Structures are given as structure tokens and as C-alpha cells.
Amino acid sequence: MSDTLTLSHYIDGQWLRSAPSFESLNPSDTRDVVARVPADEGDLIDAAVAAAKSAFPEWSAASPEVRSDVLDRVGTALLTRKEELGRLLSREEGKTLPEGIGEVARAGRIFKFFAGEALRRTGITVDSTRPGIDVATYREPLGVFGLITPWNFPIAIPAWKSAPALAFGNTVVLKPASLTPAIAAALASIIHESGAPKGVFNLVFGGGAAGNRLAAHPDVNGVSFTGSQAVGARVAAAALGHQARIQLEMGGKNPLVVLDDCDLDRAVYCALDGAYFATGQRCTASSRLIVTQGIHDRFVEALAARVASLRVGDALAADTQIGPLASQAQLDTSLEYLDIAAREGGRRIVGGERLSLDKPGYYLAPALIVDTHPGMRVNSEEIFGPIASVVRVRDYDEALSVANSGEFGLSAGIVTRSLHAARHFARHVRAGMVMTNLPTAGVDYHVPFGGTRKSSYGAREQGSAAVEFYTQIKTTYSWA
Ligand code: UN1
């Protein structure tokens, strides 16, 4: 068992010690207390926003090189310390050690990417319709961004929201998920050590009340949120009350279509990775497997064998392939959906058992449910656990229409050898991201990310798209 950390809020360049009010537990072994954490109900949110507001004029007016250098140093520190921080992340969140280390490296790469983007704040010049007049656009930062982030990518998501915010000259108040505060504190300390001026980046721990207070704060100019639809709607309402800019990323029910002509091994790999890795706790997870009838039985048999052989265990153990769920609540939700699926007539052919290993943790055997129909709750509501359901369809046309059912539209995948089907699917599936012969989850860090319909609201995140949300355009006219 490792040491228990004592965390502090980070406001205006200072670590603020206050009495711990909750604990972050290791989901692989709940006897292990990862951190003791203070929680704020609002006053410190106000202090953090005030610090961010007063740091804004200088930070936004600094040479982009200053911002680029700070972000580059943050990226280097994350990459240098990825093993140690990956271990902390996996201990706190429950994803396997390679997944934890990979996520820290991804966060490092994101900061490096936005170190470059800081120098790429460009505008356009336009010929005026009136001779003798020049028209040009500039991209300006907005001010203070409130970032509310989830536990399932506890460093990558704070990175992909705060790096572009800072790169383009804004300042930040981060309110991370209560399940994963220690890794967020590690990020704050790296940003501090990398020379970010005081107040430019602030971190406050707290529950939903703190998040709402942040979104509702009149000096917060933009709010970026990743999490559930229910919380997203509350955050949006709070932010809209004072016309803050809003960006929401809220889940998915991502379809993976498997066609008769596919490479079966490839299809099984895509389903296994997409549905179960990271314990299925990715908003991009392939939770619906839509399979045409000619390959259905062979696919199900091959996938079930692989699912049954997955090694579930302590996130930090070398041979673990699937870690625990992140919390008791997540485990309960998965168990509840297994019941719902059974009541709806789904047939569970592998997994779904609550596992008691040699330690107290939230372990569940990855489950595969067959004979399901598109209208079932298990096929329309996000479960966020190691559970996938299979829908048998006649042909590609039916597969596409099933894929397009429901409220979500984040990621969608197809496994086929047909260029025609792949191209048609990419153009017609209602999703923000489309994967051909690839898992629906596991995206690059330097390209736009986001969904359609109820999955996303507002501008795209990441890559070249991030500039849209974190800047505003000024159009200038001049005559001389
Ligand atoms: C990925 O699939 O690599 O919360 C990233 C989530 C997403 C990130 C998925 N926002 O799961």
C-alpha cells in the first residue's frame, strides 16, 4: 500500500491548506486511501475566479512565446514523469497501468501541441466592399474559463481543456471530479513549477455545488464541461444565466457495425478494445455491437471466448487487462443494467459476475449480452461499464438505421472490407467521429473531438478546432 496524500486547493499561485472533507479511495483496493481532500462549497471558487480575473490582463497581453514556453515545459514534465504519474492515475481511477501511463503521456503531448498552437493565433484580411478601407480579423481570448472535468480521463481531459485555454491567453479555474483529485493536483503542481504566473491556473476541489457555483459565476466567461447529460444540463443552465460561452461533452451509446465481409479477427479486436478496455468507462466505448446475420454467430462465439479470457484485477498488477469500476456507484449502475437487460429479454452469454478477488475492489467480469433489440434500455442508455450488447441485423441498410437510432452521436465504427459500405457509413452515420476497421474509442490528441445530437453541445474540442471555443473574433475596419 502506498502513502496517503493530503491535497490542497491551488489558488493565485498558493496551496491553500484546509481541513480534509473527503477521501479518494483506490478502486482496486478500497483499504488504500489515495488522498485526503478539502472540498469547497463556493467561497474558494469565488477566490479562484477573482485570481484568474486579475491574472488575465497580463497573461493575455504577454508574447505568445511566453505562453508557448510554459505549456512546453508542462508537456515535458508530464512526459518525463509519466511512469510515476501514470501509477498515481491508475491507483486512483482504476484503469490499468499501461492505460494510466498512456494517458499521462497523452496529456503531455496535448500541452506540447498547444505550445505550438499558442503561436498560431491567426486572423484574415479581407478586401472591403468599400475601396480604400482595410478589413482584418483578430482572435482574442475571452477571459476566465471554468473547466469541469470527469474522473474517467482525469488528466487528459483537464489537459485538453486547459492547454488551449491557456495557449490563447485565457486564465483557468479547474474543478475536477471528486473521484480523482490527486492526479488533478499533480497537474496543478506541474503547471506551478513550469512557471505559470500566479492566478493563471487555479484548482478547487468540491462536489456538484462547487461546479455549479463556478458555472454560475458572473466573472466566468466560458465553461467547458465533460460528464453526464443530467449534470451537463445543470451546468449549462447555470452558465447561460450570465451568458457565458458553453461547451458540453456528454456521453455516447456508440455503435460498432460488423458486416459479413469483414476480417473476423479485426472485428473481434475492435469490439474487445472498444467495449471493454478502460473497463468500458469511456464516452467513446462501443457499447452496441450491430452485426449482420451472415457473420453474427461466428463473431459472437469468437468475441465471447476473448471476453471470457480477459484478466480482471488490480489496476497496478502487471497481468491485469481490465481494472475495477471506478466506484461503488459505477459498479451498482453496471449491475443494475445487467438486471434490466435480463428483464428486457437479453441473453447474457459471458461475464457479469461481481468478482471477489483477494482484496476489496469494484470488480466485475466483463459481460456480453446477445439477442437484444434496438429499443431496449440497454441499447439506448449509457451504462459506462464493461458491458456490450449485440443486435443482429439483416444487412448494411438495417445496420445503419439501427446505428442511427437513439439520442447520442459521439463515435461510430464499421468493420468491413467493402470500400463502398465504409464510405457510405462515414458519410451517413450520425456521429461526430467515424472509425473504419478501428475501435470507436482511442482518439488522437491533435484533431477535433466531439459528437452530434445529445452527445455534444457547442464548439468542438481539441486540435485545430479548439481555437473556436477559446477565442472570439474581432473584425477591424480602417481607413487611412
Ligand atoms: C478516447 O476514446 O480516447 O470521456 C477519449 C470520454 C471522452 C474521451 C474519450 N471524452 O471518455
Side-chain angles (χ1 to χ4, degrees):
M1 222 157 279
S2 315
D3 293 345
T4 299
L5 303 163
T6 301
L7 305 184
S8 305
H9 306 286
Y10 175 67
I11 298 173
D12 208 19
Q14 308 281 338
W15 297 97
L16 241 84
R17 290 224 165 264
S18 51
S21 66
F22 69 97
E23 288 179 337
S24 143
L25 302 181
N26 176 347
S28 298
D29 182 345
T30 53
R31 296 167 299 184
D32 175 25
V33 178
V34 180
R36 300 206 165 82
V37 197
D40 177 55
E41 291 298 322
D43 291 353
L44 292 177
I45 290 282
D46 293 354
V49 172
K53 189 179 177 188
S54 64
F56 176 69
E58 203 172 316
W59 180 247
S60 58
S63 160
E65 262 178 10
V66 170
R67 297 192 292 270
S68 178
D69 285 348
V70 170
L71 296 189
D72 191 52
R73 285 193 292 270
V74 174
T76 300
L78 287 168
L79 290 169
T80 310
R81 293 174 56 189
K82 67 179 183 184
E83 309 274 337
E84 163 217 341
L85 295 175
R87 181 166 285 275
L88 175 64
L89 193 165
S90 294
R91 180 179 161 217
E92 188 170 54
E93 197 270 353
K95 61 181 68 177
T96 65
L97 189 53
E99 287 169 335
I101 294 170
E103 188 184 330
V104 174
R106 176 173 177 168
R109 293 286 172 199
I110 288 167
F111 273 94
K112 294 246 171 210
F113 175 81
F114 283 106
E117 289 295 282
L119 300 167
R120 230 170 266 123
R121 209 174 69 186
T122 55
I124 55 170
T125 58
V126 183
D127 288 344
S128 171
T129 53
R130 290 168 285 166
I133 292 179
D134 294 331
V135 182
T137 67
Y138 294 84
R139 284 196 174 272
E140 296 187 331
L142 275 83
V144 178
F145 275 85
L147 310 179
I148 303 172
T149 55
W151 47 264
N152 69 325
F153 282 90
I155 196 162
I157 293 178
W160 82 50
K161 294 185 192 299
S162 53
L166 299 173
F168 300 123
N170 305 282
T171 56
V172 163
V173 177
L174 172 67
K175 205 297 283 173
S178 301
L179 282 181
T180 49
I183 191 71
L187 176 64
S189 111
I190 285 177
I191 292 175
H192 177 77
E193 285 155 18
S194 300
K198 69 186 177 74
V200 160
F201 178 91
N202 306 274
L203 169 73
V204 179
F205 301 110
N212 271 343
R213 178 88 164 235
L214 179 59
H217 198 295
D219 289 333
V220 166
N221 305 93
V223 176
S224 181
F225 166 87
T226 299
S228 68
Q229 278 190 342
V231 177
R234 279 205 298 279
V235 165
L240 249 185
H242 61 106
Q243 279 114 44
R245 188 173 280 197
I246 306 167
Q247 174 183 62
L248 309 170
E249 286 296 342
M250 302 165 294
K253 193 69 201 171
N254 312 290
L256 179 73
V257 167
V258 176
L259 296 186
D260 287 352
D261 69 2
C262 75
D263 173 337
L264 184 60
D265 288 346
R266 188 77 196 166
V268 169
Y269 153 75
C270 290
L272 197 73
D273 176 320
Y276 301 106
F277 287 9
T279 322
Q281 299 177 127
R282 294 187 282 189
C283 59
T284 45
S286 324
S287 47
R288 296 187 291 150
L289 308 173
I290 302 166
V291 189
T292 47
Q293 56 193 357
I295 199 162
H296 176 276
D297 293 356
R298 278 180 296 143
F299 170 79
V300 164
E301 189 187 343
L303 179 61
R306 293 292 301 278
V307 174
S309 74
L310 287 171
R311 289 184 303 273
V312 179
D314 189 315
L316 296 177
D319 62 349
T320 294
Q321 291 173 295
I322 304 290
L325 277 297
S327 67
Q328 184 68 51
Q330 290 304 125
L331 176 62
D332 290 346
T333 304
S334 280
L335 291 169
E336 194 185 323
Y337 274 102
L338 288 168
D339 278 352
I340 292 170
R343 284 202 300 276
E344 288 180 316
R347 192 159 56 85
R348 172 153 50 98
I349 55 166
V350 58
E353 304 85 21
R354 171 82 169 94
L355 301 174
S356 31
L357 305 181
D358 58 350
K359 53 188 80 170
Y362 309 120
Y363 299 105
L364 181 69
L368 183 63
I369 303 165
V370 299
D371 299 341
T372 72
H373 301 289
M376 290 179 175
R377 284 182 64 191
V378 76
N379 278 321
S380 52
E381 296 170 18
E382 188 174 47
I383 301 174
F384 229 65
I387 301 172
S389 46
V390 180
V391 180
R392 182 200 297 257
V393 291
R394 268 186 323 278
D395 53 18
Y396 168 73
D397 290 338
E398 188 183 353
L400 178 64
S401 113
V402 171
N404 280 339
S405 62
E407 295 190 322
F408 292 103
L410 186 57
S411 182
I414 187 166
V415 193
T416 179
R417 286 194 177 96
S418 158
L419 180 59
H420 174 74
R423 182 192 172 278
H424 190 274
F425 185 77
R427 293 302 185 94
H428 293 91
V429 73
R430 295 164 71 193
M433 297 174 291
V434 186
M435 314 294 186
T436 301
N437 295 323
L438 288 165
T440 56
V443 299
D444 280 7
Y445 62 84
H446 65 312
V447 294
F449 175 95
T452 62
R453 298 189 277 167
K454 298 241 172 115
S455 287
S456 303
Y457 179 87
R460 285 280 181 273
E461 297 197 85
Q462 300 201 72
S464 56
V467 73
E468 300 294 337
F469 185 67
Y470 291 103
T471 63
Q472 59 198 344
I473 293 177
K474 175 178 280 173
T475 310
T476 63
Y477 296 76
S478 65
W479 176 88

